[in-house]
């Protein structure tokens, strides 16, 4: 299973999520408007390797990029808002990716939808 299919499976579990291309890349939205994950399967900008960008809770970007700079980075355009870049080349821990996607969803989704995750 490729990265797009895996992310569809992961992100499709969350309430009121849709997927559509944004800037030519598969992107997942809450209620059709708030982006929480974008996949750059063939790289983007100066990052010429497969990766995703995901919303992240406050402080997580700095923590993970310091802890594991070989896997995590500050992405262009959205990095200043705390988003996290995650490399998908090499060995990918899909359980970890699922956790990051859930954190991204929780960061962006309205509280009423987040409560549905916890029910």
């Amino acid at each position: 299973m490729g990265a797009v299919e895996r992310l569809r499976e992961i992100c499709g579990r969350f309430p009121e999520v849709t997927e559509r291309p944004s800037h030519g890349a598969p992107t997942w939205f809450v209620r059709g408007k708030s982006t929480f994950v974008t996949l750059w399967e063939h790289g983007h900008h100066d990052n010429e390797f497969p990766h995703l960008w995901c919303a992240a809770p406050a402080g997580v970007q700095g923590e993970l990029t310091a802890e594991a700079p070989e896997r995590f980075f500050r992405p262009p355009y959205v990095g200043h808002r705390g988003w996290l870049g995650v490399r998908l080349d090499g060995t990918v821990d899909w359980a970890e990716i699922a956790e990051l996607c859930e954190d991204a969803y929780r960061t962006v989704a309205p509280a009423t939808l987040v409560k549905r995750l916890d029910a």
Side-chain angles (χ1 to χ4, degrees):
M1 185 181 315
V4 173
E5 292 79 18
R6 286 184 184 264
L7 285 168
R8 280 184 183 134
E9 183 178 290
I10 292 166
C11 296
R13 296 179 193 150
F14 307 131
E16 299 189 40
V17 165
T18 56
E19 176 196 346
R20 70 176 183 274
S22 179
H23 299 86
T27 303
W28 287 267
F29 297 83
V30 178
R31 291 190 170 159
K33 48 189 168 171
S34 298
T35 305
F36 69 102
V37 172
T38 298
L39 172 64
W40 299 102
E41 196 167 22
H42 304 290
H44 179 70
H45 209 262
D46 292 333
N47 299 312
E48 296 178 8
F49 46 82
H51 63 278
L52 62 85
W53 297 350
C54 58
V60 169
Q61 179 199 81
E63 180 182 315
L64 292 179
T65 57
E67 181 181 300
E70 70 284 356
R71 289 191 355 248
F72 303 106
F73 62 97
R74 183 178 188 227
Y77 312 114
V78 293
H80 70 281
R81 295 191 333 229
W83 280 53
L84 182 65
V86 184
R87 293 185 72 123
L88 298 176
D89 52 345
T91 303
V92 178
D93 180 346
W94 287 102
E96 178 183 55
I97 298 297
E99 289 176 18
L100 292 170
C101 289
E102 182 173 334
D103 289 346
Y105 179 86
R106 289 176 179 276
T107 299
V108 171
T112 54
L113 294 182
V114 171
K115 284 181 187 176
R116 288 171 53 187
L117 280 181
D118 299 327

